Amino acid sequence: MSIWTRIAEALSALAGGEPLSVVFDRLRGASAPEQSVGFTIAVLALGAKMAKADGTVTRDEVTAFRRIFTFPEGEEAHAARVFNLARQDVAGFDAYARKIARLFNPEGRRICADDHHVLVDILEALFQIAIADGSYHPGEDAFLRHVAEEFGLDEACFRIVRSRLVDGAPRDPYDVLGLPHGASKAEARRAWKQLVRDTHPDVMSARGVPPEALKLAERRLQLINEAWRQISAREAA
């Protein structure tokens, strides 16, 4: 059974008039396949909310979903329904973010970038949607910062994710690797190797990232490798 079939079943379970956000409550404590459903619905739903953060929904932002998710023939309607239900829901994006946080972080602990948590993956996917139209709007920055706070991600985590994905954002190679500026070359090498391992598709799948969303790791890996190249070049100079 494909993830999109499971999403269709989750949507069909909604009683008349129930908002999409109810799905997140029903998925709490669910097994791994249903957690994958939760991940995909979360990105689509928050993406729909964020698409209006800069005042307009562009074709590029819609296309970004197709870069993150692979829609089998005939399944696009399920994704479109999630997108439209989220846009129509009167609940604000902060309410969605809180429900998603309870789904993937029920203990409510603080999360940093080094945790490689599924909520960090969701934030990265949202960043990719935000920059899909070639710009990064202040409204999108405020939206994503608020989502990160609701997720329980610390400020450093938000800055690291932004630096990895947004062109023109302050990007320090030590930040990209999640290191303090005084870190040694050996520490940087260890951090780089760990991040490369953690970005492997098998590892991301184990964190609950569905196969449809593994494309979001490609740019992250490029920037991680570039950060290590810069640090090793500085140390060699």
Side-chain angles (χ1 to χ4, degrees), residues 39 68 112-128 131 153 157 160-167 171 173 175-178 191-205 207-210 213-229:
F39 178 99
I68 297 170
C112 65
D114 289 340
D115 289 332
H116 313 297
H117 195 280
V118 66
L119 290 173
V120 179
D121 295 322
I122 292 175
L123 184 66
E124 289 193 353
L126 292 172
F127 263 100
Q128 292 208 22
I131 63 177
L153 310 184
C157 179
I160 289 169
V161 172
R162 184 176 61 183
S163 71
R164 288 174 182 167
L165 295 172
V166 178
D167 289 335
R171 182 176 297 147
D175 283 344
V176 173
L177 297 183
W192 164 66
K193 292 179 72 173
Q194 185 63 52
L195 285 168
V196 170
R197 284 195 294 269
D198 289 335
T199 307
H200 190 280
D202 291 344
V203 175
M204 295 188 71
S205 294
R207 296 208 306 273
V209 181
L214 291 179
K215 293 179 183 178
L216 63 88
E218 294 175 0
R219 178 169 171 79
R220 178 204 296 171
L221 185 58
Q222 291 173 359
L223 292 171
I224 288 168
N225 286 330
E226 175 61 19
W228 164 243
R229 188 196 65 78

Side-chain angles (χ1 to χ4, degrees), residues 41-73:
I41 292 178
V43 174
L44 288 167
L46 281 178
K49 296 286 188 182
M50 188 184 64
K52 298 190 294 185
D54 60 357
T56 182
V57 180
T58 69
R59 182 182 299 273
D60 290 327
E61 288 168 330
V62 174
T63 301
F65 286 112
R66 295 183 176 276
R67 287 208 301 267
I68 297 170
F69 299 104
T70 301
F71 301 119
E73 185 176 353

Side-chain angles (χ1 to χ4, degrees), residues 124-154:
E124 289 193 353
L126 292 172
F127 263 100
Q128 292 208 22
I129 294 167
I131 63 177
D133 59 0
S135 65
Y136 185 62
H137 192 276
E140 292 169 329
D141 186 77
F143 177 100
L144 291 167
R145 185 180 294 276
H146 196 159
V147 167
E149 291 172 356
E150 295 289 356
F151 280 0
L153 310 184
D154 62 23

